[in-house]
Amino acid sequence: MGRVQGKVAIVTGAAKGIGAASAKALAREGAKVICSDFDETAGEATVAEIQRTGGDAIFVAHDVTDEAQWENVMKVAEAKFGGLHIVVNNAGIVPAGGGGSIEDKTLENWRRTVEVDLDSVFLGCKHAIRTIKKTTAKGAKGSIINISSIMGLVGWLGASDYNASKGGVRLLSKCAALECADAGYDIRVNSVHPGYIDTPLVRNMIADGVSAPGELGPNERMELLISLHPVGRLGVADEIANMVLFLASDESSFVTGAEMVVDGGYTAR
């Protein structure tokens, strides 16, 4: 217990899935957590669960594509908790309109995916650095954790916008890590690349056919996804949260600019 004791964290997309699991893990280990999401009901439920187990958390309604709302979340962290140490840029969507080939994809759908999955991470890094550096100037350490995907490492049919966005998160994280190190901010920046995790987002992808275009039914799509992971199953959100917790803690003090793959062997083939 206490691996991030006394630290202040923001977790985006904290209403469910990896975001909720990460917020709970950080709170369990002593962090004060700001859970941000556009889904107020589910976000408040995450906060309530943290509080029931003795953790310290609040909810802030947050559209991660809106820079003014990022500025507001940072002000909340400083006003409520006196500073900021950790930001987990987790919020994201699957390709708008169910994907589709490059030649058929609309510019509108492309831009929406990139806006949520990459632009928001840029905004998160920008305002996290500006805010966390005030805390690290007082001798604390900071960490920014950007949730990418295995699709930021390898391609997938019909998901060019998602692949491009998640690949952009990977290299954005490296650039931010170098800039923070060069500026002497003592802020580490890393990306996490999950395989397919059994979350509501992935369940919806399976139901909608995004995960496996063609004539396969939901059960066949699930079996296909499982077969792509050498360990023989999908991951669970807590397994990604454990990596987030490691990167947020001082245990990973020599880790920056890294891509942490948590994929059950998916990309090892």
Side-chain angles (χ1 to χ4, degrees):
M1 300 294 290
R3 295 167 66 188
V4 286
Q5 189 68 42
K7 294 182 182 290
V8 178
I10 294 170
V11 180
T12 69
K16 58 181 73 73
I18 292 170
S22 297
K24 293 171 190 176
L26 291 167
R28 185 175 64 247
E29 293 294 334
K32 299 175 177 64
V33 184
I34 298 166
C35 299
S36 95
D37 205 289
F38 66 87
D39 186 340
E40 185 170 352
T41 299
E44 291 283 13
T46 299
V47 168
E49 186 172 345
I50 289 171
Q51 293 174 341
R52 278 196 301 271
T53 57
D56 194 349
I58 61 171
F59 174 77
V60 176
H62 183 195
D63 176 353
V64 292
T65 68
D66 186 327
E67 185 161 18
Q69 292 191 33
W70 270 109
E71 292 170 344
N72 176 64
V73 172
M74 297 298 158
K75 289 176 182 176
V76 170
E78 293 183 305
K80 177 70 176 179
F81 297 121
L84 183 64
H85 305 83
I86 301 159
V87 170
V88 182
N89 285 305
N90 165 75
I93 59 171
V94 297
S101 68
I102 293 171
E103 62 180 321
D104 295 327
K105 193 179 298 293
T106 67
L107 182 59
E108 179 185 11
N109 285 349
W110 169 277
R111 285 176 170 167
R112 178 56 180 167
T113 303
V114 173
E115 179 184 36
V116 177
D117 290 349
L118 179 56
D119 293 354
S120 71
V121 180
F122 158 71
L123 291 173
C125 287
K126 173 181 176 178
H127 291 285
I129 292 168
R130 287 182 171 183
T131 306
I132 296 174
K133 72 180 184 182
K134 302 176 192 176
T135 307
T136 61
K138 302 174 184 178
K141 297 181 183 299
S143 178
I144 299 171
I145 301 139
N146 298 325
I147 306 300
S148 179
S149 168
I150 51 173
M151 298 310 162
L153 302 172
V154 298
W156 185 263
L157 290 171
S160 56
D161 44 358
Y162 188 76
N163 284 116
S165 298
K166 293 301 187 178
V169 169
R170 171 179 173 264
L171 286 177
L172 171 63
S173 301
K174 293 180 184 295
C175 290
L178 292 174
E179 290 185 8
C180 287
D182 184 67
Y185 291 155
D186 208 357
I187 302 171
R188 296 178 295 103
V189 187
N190 295 285
S191 59
V192 177
H193 299 258
Y196 281 93
I197 308 301
D198 194 353
T199 63
L201 180 68
V202 169
R203 290 279 176 174
N204 289 338
M205 288 173 57
I206 292 169
D208 295 342
V210 176
S211 61
E215 299 303 319
L216 297 178
N219 291 337
E220 289 80 11
R221 293 177 198 137
M222 175 63 85
E223 291 173 4
L224 173 60
L225 288 187
I226 289 172
S227 73
L228 296 174
H229 299 76
V231 299
R233 64 175 176 84
L234 301 187
V236 297
D238 284 344
E239 291 172 313
I240 308 306
N242 287 337
M243 178 59 75
V244 169
L245 179 59
F246 169 69
L247 292 173
S249 75
D250 293 342
E251 297 162 15
S252 58
S253 57
F254 200 54
V255 181
T256 195
E259 52 203 55
M260 311 301 281
V261 181
V262 191
D263 70 351
Y266 185 108
T267 57
R269 294 185 187 274

